[in-house]
Amino acid sequence: MATDKQNSSGMAKLVTEKDGSFKRQESAFRNTIEVGGVHPPEKGRYHLYVAYGCPWATRTIILRKLKGLEDIVGLTVVSPLLGSLGWAFKKADDYPGAEDDPLYGFNHLREFYFKVDPTYQGR
């Protein structure tokens, strides 16, 4: 099994506040899906990428199910190991249950950010 194990415990390296809480950095990509908006709701237009090791991803999976969006918003699972290049698709980390990127064939999720903004500076 090919696995990017370098820094696979990356979640433990997240910087916390003095009180132990974690403050997420401001998102560089925050938009709203709305009728008449820049990003209109359309079947097949959006795709959800999740890592079961991410608590935020778990919430999006639950919401997708509760809202009945399984046939509208696609879903791909990446490796739960947070490697040195971030969350990896199956071809970069053959972790059981991880899937290949069906849209662009990327190796790591971070490649989406660089596709949109080659100067992206986030994690």
Side-chain angles (χ1 to χ4, degrees):
M1 174 182 350
T3 304
D4 175 8
K5 292 184 179 177
Q6 184 180 4
N7 296 327
S8 63
S9 61
M11 294 296 278
K13 296 180 182 180
L14 294 175
V15 177
T16 57
E17 301 296 317
K18 289 182 181 178
D19 67 359
S21 65
F22 170 69
K23 302 290 188 237
R24 181 172 272 293
Q25 70 185 52
E26 185 83 20
S27 176
F29 299 96
R30 176 141 350 247
N31 297 294
T32 303
I33 298 170
E34 59 188 350
V35 175
V38 175
H39 304 288
E42 294 176 14
K43 182 176 181 173
R45 179 177 177 145
Y46 305 100
H47 196 86
L48 185 59
Y49 291 90
V50 298
Y52 292 135
C54 174
W56 292 280
T58 304
R59 294 172 186 151
T60 66
I61 296 168
I62 293 168
L63 182 65
R64 178 177 172 262
K65 177 70 173 176
L66 290 174
K67 294 286 188 175
L69 299 173
E70 297 98 320
D71 294 331
I72 297 170
V73 178
L75 177 78
T76 298
V77 178
V78 299
S79 171
L81 302 175
L82 185 58
S84 61
L85 297 175
W87 305 111
F89 291 103
K90 182 178 182 170
K91 72 179 186 178
D93 181 354
D94 194 18
Y95 192 92
E99 300 172 310
D100 286 322
D101 171 29
L103 299 177
Y104 299 99
F106 289 153
N107 290 314
H108 294 87
L109 194 58
R110 67 186 274 159
E111 293 173 68
F112 283 101
Y113 295 97
F114 294 117
K115 179 175 176 42
V116 174
D117 179 4
T119 64
Y120 177 65
Q121 297 287 320
R123 285 187 289 112

